[in-house]
Amino acid sequence: MLWRKRLFAHLYPGLSARHEALVAERKRALFREALRRARPERVLEIGPGPGTNLAHLPEGVAYLALEPNPFFHPRLREEARKRGLALTLLPGRAEAIPLPGGSVDLVVATLVLCSVADPEKAIEEVHRVLRPGGAYLFLEHVAAPKGAPLRLLQEAATPFFVFFGDGCHPNRKTLAQIQARFPRVEAEAFSLPLPVVAPHVAGLAFKE
């Protein structure tokens, strides 16, 4: 429903501020490594929201953004303008990226696979649009180990998160899904002092 998307876009910057502070240094290091190794000229970001990650991109790259929530678009355009990035907004969803195969050097998706309808299909699309040698930068909250008290809480909280969090699922085993499609994955698991969504993974996956 549009009212939920509007509400989520309004609340998200405030809700995400603590998370961004907690992952700031890790995210900076991850982007530095991705830029060094992929040397991108064309960057696709899936689910950029208000454009938080644009601060990590150098001027001059062609920045393509697939953001299905239209209420983020005004802030995303303004952030791109301030950063000196030429923004191209793409229609569609992560499961059907409207780009040719092998057409981008770097795909960025942070806190995205929790909320897509079909994460395996989204990962397949990321792989398809990357050029050989290109990189996929990810940072996601993930499911706690099966049987752990936190996992039970995640399962119970999932319907609430889906309804109010624009489709967010706190109980997804995201790293295994990425590794199933990308044989070469460099990832780190870590935990943040957050309720329900404490377990995280971050890293780079490379297309051979």
Side-chain angles (χ1 to χ4, degrees):
M1 292 183 183
L2 281 180
W3 72 265
R4 284 194 298 183
K5 289 187 176 295
R6 184 190 296 273
L7 179 64
F8 183 74
H10 176 71
L11 296 177
Y12 183 79
L15 293 173
S16 66
R18 186 183 179 206
H19 184 273
E20 284 299 320
L22 290 170
V23 300
E25 186 51 44
R26 181 175 274 109
K27 191 181 276 191
R28 279 193 291 269
L30 196 57
F31 270 90
R32 282 197 301 267
E33 188 66 7
L35 295 173
R36 182 183 71 83
R37 296 170 71 175
R39 299 189 179 279
E41 295 180 2
R42 286 168 57 87
V43 176
L44 166 67
E45 183 166 12
I46 301 170
T52 306
N53 290 330
L54 271 65
H56 302 288
L57 296 177
E59 288 188 32
V61 299
Y63 177 70
L64 314 172
L66 196 161
E67 175 48 69
N69 187 333
F71 299 105
F72 279 124
H73 292 180
R75 295 190 64 166
L76 184 58
R77 289 191 182 97
E78 176 60 19
E79 191 65 23
R81 186 194 64 78
K82 288 193 300 185
R83 301 284 176 185
L85 295 171
L87 167 66
T88 300
L89 275 170
L90 301 175
R93 303 174 299 117
E95 297 90 341
I97 300 171
L99 290 173
S103 61
V104 297
D105 308 302
L106 174 65
V107 175
V108 174
T110 63
L111 302 183
V112 166
L113 291 180
C114 62
S115 59
V116 298
D118 186 341
E120 291 181 351
K121 178 60 177 173
I123 293 166
E124 175 62 38
E125 281 290 275
V126 169
H127 187 275
R128 180 184 67 80
V129 301
L130 275 174
R131 64 162 171 81
Y136 163 36
L137 183 157
F138 59 90
L139 189 155
E140 302 281 351
H141 65 76
V142 295
K146 189 175 182 179
L150 178 56
R151 178 65 174 274
L152 299 177
L153 175 60
Q154 289 176 331
E155 299 290 351
T158 291
F160 176 85
F161 272 67
V162 168
F163 187 83
F164 290 102
D166 207 18
C168 176
H169 292 70
N171 61 346
R172 285 185 170 170
K173 295 181 283 188
T174 301
L175 181 58
Q177 293 173 322
I178 295 172
Q179 290 171 326
R181 189 61 189 90
F182 286 85
R184 187 176 159 209
V185 179
E186 300 173 7
E188 172 192 15
F190 59 99
S191 184
L192 297 179
L194 297 171
V196 185
V197 294
H200 280 64
V201 294
L204 299 173
F206 297 91
K207 183 173 180 178
E208 301 292 345

